[in-house]
Amino acid sequence: MSEIVLQIDGQEVTVQEGATILEAAQSLGIEIPTLCHHHKLEPYGGCRVCSVEVESRGRASVVAACLYPAEDGLVVTTKTEKLSRIRKSLVEMMMAHAPDSEPLLALAKEYGADKDRFKRNQSFCIHCGLCVRYCSEVKKKHALGFIDRGAKKRICFIPEIASKECWKCKECFPLCPTSALQASFVLTKSLTFGGEGEE
Amino acid sequence: MPKINSSAELEALRKDVLSSRDPLKPCIAVCTGSGCLALGAANLVTALREEIAEQGVESRIDIRETGCPGFCERGPLIVVYPDETCYLKVQPSDAKEVVQSVLEKTVIDRLLYVDPATGERLVHEMDIPFYKNQQRLLIGNNIKLDPTSIEDYLAVGGYAALEKVACRMKPEEVVALVKESGLRGRGGGGFPSGSKWEFTRNSPDPVKYVIVNADEGDPGAFMDRALLEGSPHAVLEGLIIGAYAIGAHHGYLYVRQEYPLAVENITLAIKKAEEYGFIGKNILGSGFDFEVEVAQGAGAFVCGEETALIRSLEGKAGEPKPRPPFPAVRGLWDKPTNINNVETWANIPLIINNGAAAFASIGTAGSKGTKIFSLVGKVKNTGLVEVPMGITLRDIVYKIGGGIPGDKKFKAVQTGGPAGGCMPESLLDMEVDFDQLTKAGSMMGSGGMIVLDEETCMVDFARFFLAFLADESCGKCVPCREGIQQMLTIVTDITQGKGREGDLDLLAQLTEVSGASLCALGKGAPNPVLSTMKHFRDEYEAHIAGRCPSFSCKELIAFYIDPDKCQACTSCARKCPATAIEGGKNQIHVVDQAKCTKCGSCLEACPPRFGAVKRISGEPLPPPLPKDARTVARGSK
Ligand SMILES: Cc1cc2nc3c(=O)[nH]c(=O)nc-3n(C[C@H](O)[C@H](O)[C@H](O)COP(=O)(O)O)c2cc1C
Ligand code: SF4
Ligand code: FES
Ligand code: FES
């Protein structure tokens, strides 16, 4: 493994090849907001609140710090007006789904986001994928997944697996930033599992 | 057919094929591309065959079923060889006359193209302005080939490029040649193909893959379909050459689900190429091995994005992956993978045969060769057009497209697919070039080109693409899934007269967020909005003020019958599907606005000499005439 030297907010940092920008920033004590990232899970890149600006070979772009691999000579900026505007809008879009989510409220405070900027959407889910990924990557049960695409994309418990596995696990519930996953599970349970697996 | 094992055997075979053919023997080439098939080309072929059989002249006339030469709008289309007489809109009932004329060496005037400018009847393909102003290096062969016949491809020099490469060039030399040609990817991004090949070639893993991206998802586009259906061997030959250059031994063609004929033709082409030894072990005795498989697309637009396509090939959900790592480093099954568009691959044999310099002599400084566009919308001649890079948009719209039908005015031309942009009249003299189009807020894209006239509402047009993208977003990342949805809501509100002061600023802010998306779908999504806001901002502002300048947004227009012009002919009342028109004999007609669905039937029904039906937008509607004042005052009769 070779070492990589990059620059974050004007400070030079050396990391091992394969490290992400987020990890490199953390090693410097620079904070980058995250939401869909979890240390036990593969980086995902869904929420994009970790967006940072990078300049590589003369080209500037906005990338997700939780995913983007550190490159030699990369120049990273984690705080700019543009990034604040982007993060603010992202938070506002997610708050249209989950206005009471604690992590979102905290981010809203930091970036001055208005939870009512966009019309309230009835689905609570912000598609961070934490529950889906935890179940497949850590528990290896695949009891829930995403279905459909675009605005219709949603999470869904797979009844055949969920009825056997979920009631005794429920480890994904506290991961959900909107604390509404549990409600969804209860609903699925009452609709599809019947009395089976009741505590 | 025994396998071809060397250059010499290939040339011997080609000689055989050519000597068994009499170039002077009449041949009726019938386009059986998807467009002409939809217009009844299959029946035409049957009728021609029956007629030939009936007259007992099978030995004197050949029939060739070919791929699409591009002028689908005038199909079914045939070209009679050796004179290359081109007939358009040919019906099965014309079969007898066609066969007769071939035997008698005469020309059927009524089936020829009539030049609208001069009224002259044009006999040959190359005389027709639609073709004359093109440079058809790729699709020009279509009418000369039966795509199911590898011999036809050999007869036009097929697989000579593969022979040259596999038997006489080092892989590095091939890569260098493609770099030198300046070829850039035709699938959308315009990345230099030679450099991409080099990255993949230089990735250390010995197992590598090559992929043909034939997912062609842009609405209305069919360039790749025409190539795969009409000239599958050219795409295949390009792919084999690329595999050799890159060092891949396995390739995939990922073909859009809705293209069954393309799948059929390419599958057959692969089988034939295997029989002849152009695919398989020790190709042409060079020691190079290569296999190809065809995979059918998963049916989502985003699966055309290279990383989503790769995931889909791996049997996973077609969701884009973050780049880096790029496919050239870690692609299919985590192996270095080179993915190119169909048209990109089809250019390769050309570059090898004619040389990099010949290819680079066509086009502009940064964009070389030709580009195929699917020209649709409000132009007289629609169809597939292949033009040299550097041609102006004006030449495409007016010289090839024949201008705008009716006496309507040109408004804009849209390129680049759903995430492309619109260019107004003032940019018509711009050259078709990757960088110019991007600079103008659009992009080359894969070759969609939609011409819009004065009746198209630009706000509604932007809404259409946003709606498409909102449905087709994979839904993984917030800026794309939520951002497009929010832009769509605002733009939809504007088209429905619910726009508010400040909406345009809000839209502009949302377009910034898109830049944080994971893949190019989300990043490109604001383009339809940005380019129309830039060039047609007045239309947005008009809508917010309650007026649709193109009279197309239903919520903002009303149909109104001018009482001074109405002659009580009752045409409109009879056509109105909502029975919203009051009136009878000798009664001035009045639209009941509450019932009107704004379908526009009355406008079409009203005889032009009266011209009494009007569309009104942004102005108060005159009150309806009182019932007792509606009798038509006729002149003394
Ligand atoms: C949403 C999306 C859809 C795409 N669809 C296609 C497609 O249908 N066909 C294609 O060739 N490229 C498509 N692309 C571009 C590919 O990602 C990729 O750039 C291309 O296949 C590379 O080939 P080229 O270098 O020959 O252009 C798409 C890209 C995006 C972001
Ligand atoms: S930008 Fe859109 S299509 Fe691309 S990964 Fe994000 S949600 Fe999916
Ligand atoms: S934390 Fe990086 S995308 Fe969500
Ligand atoms: S399909 Fe026949 S001309 Fe296009």
Side-chain angles (χ1 to χ4, degrees):
Chain A
M1 279 269 171
S2 60
E3 292 199 326
I4 281 172
V5 186
L6 67 160
Q7 202 192 80
I8 305 182
D9 292 345
Q11 298 184 50
E12 227 163 60
V13 57
T14 306
V15 292
Q16 293 296 314
E17 190 181 336
T20 61
I21 292 179
L22 181 66
E23 286 160 345
Q26 280 165 347
S27 76
L28 283 173
I30 294 175
E31 247 190 78
I32 298 173
T34 62
L35 192 65
C36 69
H37 189 64
H38 190 281
H39 65 280
K40 280 193 187 162
L41 304 176
E42 288 291 315
Y44 183 63
C47 74
R48 317 302 283 187
V49 298
C50 67
S51 289
V52 294
E53 292 191 57
V54 299
E55 226 190 282
S56 164
R57 294 178 210 99
R59 285 191 49 184
S61 50
V62 175
V63 304
C66 69
L67 279 173
Y68 201 92
E71 286 166 12
D72 245 332
L74 199 66
V75 178
V76 182
T77 320
T78 70
K79 292 171 194 67
T80 65
E81 274 177 30
K82 178 175 173 181
L83 289 173
S84 296
R85 286 196 301 268
I86 289 177
R87 290 177 189 150
K88 169 175 176 284
S89 291
L90 291 172
V91 171
E92 289 169 334
M93 287 174 188
M94 289 186 274
M95 285 185 117
H97 293 269
D100 306 320
S101 149
E102 273 171 30
L104 282 177
L105 283 166
L107 285 168
K109 207 168 148 198
E110 186 171 348
Y111 293 99
D114 168 6
K115 71 175 168 38
D116 298 318
R117 178 167 171 206
F118 298 111
K119 213 165 77 215
R120 185 79 181 82
N121 188 300
Q122 52 209 4
S123 142
F124 68 87
C125 178
I126 57 168
H127 302 72
C128 66
L130 284 168
C131 53
V132 174
R133 291 183 288 139
Y134 186 84
C135 189
S136 71
E137 289 174 31
V138 176
K139 305 296 289 187
K140 310 237 184 288
K141 298 294 185 204
H142 310 276
L144 72 177
F146 282 117
I147 52 172
D148 225 325
R149 62 171 184 264
K152 293 199 205 83
K153 184 167 181 157
R154 58 201 180 275
I155 55 156
C156 171
F157 285 90
I158 292 137
E160 298 79 38
I161 308 173
S163 61
K164 286 197 208 81
E165 306 291 344
C166 295
W167 64 277
K168 61 184 181 212
C169 167
K170 296 180 189 163
E171 285 168 35
C172 63
F173 290 2
L175 294 177
C176 177
T178 77
S179 61
L181 179 65
Q182 189 164 1
S184 156
F185 173 67
V186 172
L187 181 69
T188 316
K189 191 165 77 165
S190 65
L191 290 179
T192 55
F193 308 171
E196 197 190 336
E198 213 55 66
E199 285 147 287
Chain B
M1 177 69 220
K3 237 181 97 168
I4 308 290
N5 292 308
S6 66
S7 306
E9 284 180 35
L10 176 62
E11 280 330 296
L13 169 68
R14 197 187 310 281
K15 271 212 186 92
D16 266 4
V17 170
L18 287 173
S19 65
S20 70
R21 298 180 171 213
D22 173 4
L24 294 178
K25 182 175 173 192
C27 171
I28 307 174
V30 187
C31 170
T32 51
S34 290
C36 287
L37 279 179
L39 293 166
N43 293 338
L44 175 61
V45 172
T46 312
L48 286 168
R49 287 197 193 285
E50 279 172 9
E51 185 57 36
I52 288 172
E54 193 156 302
Q55 301 206 22
V57 290
E58 290 96 331
S59 59
R60 290 173 56 198
I61 304 179
D62 285 335
I63 295 244
R64 178 166 65 225
E65 297 177 43
T66 80
C68 169
F71 211 6
C72 319
E73 192 206 0
R74 308 289 170 103
L77 172 155
I78 68 178
V79 175
V80 180
Y81 288 84
D83 295 335
E84 304 193 15
T85 313
C86 178
Y87 295 135
L88 304 167
K89 296 194 175 176
V90 187
Q91 300 306 315
S93 54
D94 299 323
K96 196 182 185 85
E97 210 179 331
V98 169
V99 172
Q100 208 56 43
S101 73
V102 173
L103 293 171
E104 291 165 4
K105 297 194 164 54
T106 54
V107 171
I108 309 172
D109 274 355
R110 66 180 178 86
L111 294 176
L112 295 175
Y113 178 85
V114 182
D115 189 335
T118 60
E120 197 187 340
R121 291 179 187 277
L122 306 177
V123 178
H124 302 112
E125 234 187 15
M126 276 325 293
D127 305 331
I128 301 176
F130 175 77
Y131 289 121
K132 193 162 71 186
N133 295 294
Q134 298 188 38
Q135 185 168 6
R136 300 190 305 148
L137 304 181
L138 299 170
I139 47 172
N141 265 345
N142 276 13
I143 197 75
K144 299 183 194 134
L145 298 176
D146 172 351
T148 64
S149 160
I150 193 169
E151 287 83 8
D152 275 13
Y153 187 61
L154 290 168
V156 297
Y159 290 106
L162 175 64
E163 183 276 329
K164 181 170 171 188
V165 163
C167 304
R168 290 180 281 150
M169 283 174 83
K170 292 203 197 75
E172 296 83 352
E173 290 170 347
V174 183
V175 172
L177 191 75
V178 174
K179 276 176 87 171
E180 200 187 314
S181 74
L183 175 67
R184 293 172 67 174
R186 303 304 197 228
F191 194 84
S193 308
S195 305
K196 192 148 92 175
W197 288 20
E198 191 168 49
F199 288 139
T200 316
R201 174 167 179 80
N202 291 344
S203 284
D205 202 309
V207 178
K208 298 181 166 74
Y209 296 104
V210 282
I211 299 177
V212 180
N213 187 344
D215 201 43
E216 196 162 58
D218 291 8
F222 59 110
M223 301 75 59
D224 297 346
R225 184 181 75 188
L227 283 174
L228 275 186
E229 285 180 3
S231 196
H233 283 288
V235 180
L236 208 52
E237 187 179 4
L239 181 69
I240 307 167
I241 291 169
Y244 175 82
I246 289 160
H249 300 289
H250 208 103
Y252 291 87
L253 278 125
Y254 187 90
V255 187
R256 182 181 165 135
Q257 207 176 32
E258 293 87 343
Y259 287 178
L261 183 59
V263 170
E264 193 181 313
N265 286 359
I266 192 74
T267 306
L268 183 69
I270 293 172
K271 197 169 146 255
K272 291 276 180 177
E274 278 167 353
E275 280 171 24
Y276 280 77
F278 301 132
I279 295 177
K281 295 253 177 265
N282 192 16
I283 292 169
L284 294 174
S286 66
F288 174 64
D289 305 337
F290 183 61
E291 308 276 334
V292 196
E293 273 176 62
V294 177
Q296 290 217 41
F301 174 69
V302 74
C303 286
E305 194 280 332
E306 54 188 23
T307 60
L309 185 152
I310 286 170
R311 279 178 57 105
S312 170
L313 267 181
E314 290 170 347
K316 300 182 190 143
E319 251 176 30
K321 279 197 291 200
R323 301 176 311 176
F326 286 89
V329 178
R330 263 176 66 186
L332 186 63
W333 320 113
D334 286 339
K335 301 294 182 192
T337 301
N338 183 85
I339 175 163
N340 279 123
N341 167 263
V342 171
E343 191 180 331
T344 314
W345 289 116
N347 269 299
I348 299 298
L350 214 67
I351 292 172
I352 304 289
N353 285 328
N354 304 344
F359 186 83
S361 72
I362 306 167
T364 63
S367 307
K368 303 298 188 187
T370 61
K371 177 76 196 86
I372 308 179
F373 287 98
S374 161
L375 182 66
V376 297
K378 301 295 175 59
V379 270
K380 288 190 184 133
N381 306 324
T382 61
L384 273 196
V385 305
E386 183 179 345
V387 290
M389 296 280 191
I391 189 174
T392 62
L393 290 169
R394 188 183 299 280
D395 281 353
I396 299 182
V397 173
Y398 287 95
K399 286 198 181 150
I400 298 173
I404 317 298
D407 35 18
K408 302 275 161 44
K409 262 174 51 198
F410 169 92
K411 188 185 269 185
V413 51
Q414 198 267 4
T415 65
C422 296
M423 281 146 306
E425 173 96 50
S426 61
L427 291 179
L428 268 183
D429 291 310
M430 196 176 74
E431 293 182 340
V432 166
D433 169 289
F434 284 103
D435 312 302
Q436 293 280 342
L437 284 165
T438 306
K439 231 169 70 191
S442 182
M443 55 180 193
M444 183 77 75
S446 59
M449 188 174 281
I450 308 174
V451 181
L452 311 173
D453 71 9
E454 56 186 323
E455 306 228 307
T456 316
C457 169
M458 300 310 289
V459 187
D460 193 50
F461 190 65
R463 187 202 54 77
F464 168 81
F465 284 115
L466 284 176
F468 177 87
L469 292 167
D471 279 346
E472 296 297 335
S473 155
C474 84
K476 177 174 178 176
C477 70
V478 175
C480 176
R481 183 189 65 245
E482 305 292 334
I484 299 177
Q485 199 59 46
Q486 294 301 349
M487 285 190 278
L488 176 61
T489 307
I490 297 170
V491 174
T492 306
D493 279 353
I494 295 177
T495 61
Q496 295 180 345
K498 293 181 272 180
R500 285 171 308 193
E501 211 56 53
D503 273 358
L504 299 187
D505 293 336
L506 186 55
L507 267 180
Q509 286 167 33
L510 284 172
T511 61
E512 184 180 41
V513 183
S514 305
S517 301
L518 194 156
C519 83
L521 189 154
K523 285 187 209 286
N527 287 349
V529 176
L530 283 172
S531 76
T532 49
M533 281 220 293
K534 178 168 169 199
H535 300 300
F536 301 95
R537 196 178 174 93
D538 54 331
E539 293 201 20
Y540 281 84
E541 283 162 355
H543 281 76
I544 294 175
R547 183 171 66 89
C548 174
S550 323
F551 300 102
S552 99
C553 293
K554 288 190 176 178
E555 278 82 354
L556 290 175
I557 58 166
F559 287 84
Y560 171 72
I561 301 173
D562 185 340
D564 295 335
K565 291 194 174 159
C566 178
Q567 297 298 315
C569 71
T570 70
S571 306
C572 60
R574 277 180 278 132
K575 281 279 161 59
C576 176
T579 59
I581 297 177
E582 295 166 6
K585 228 176 151 203
N586 286 329
Q587 288 288 299
I588 289 174
H589 288 43
V590 173
V591 178
D592 179 346
Q593 299 296 335
K595 279 187 172 175
C596 173
T597 60
K598 311 200 181 154
C599 69
S601 302
C602 50
L603 185 66
E604 270 169 43
C606 185
R609 63 182 191 282
F610 302 154
V613 178
K614 289 202 171 85
R615 291 170 304 187
I616 288 188
S617 183
E619 309 166 32
L621 197 68
L625 281 186
K627 290 236 158 82
D628 53 7
R630 291 188 186 173
T631 307
V632 181
R634 305 264 181 215
S636 54
K637 242 197 223 163

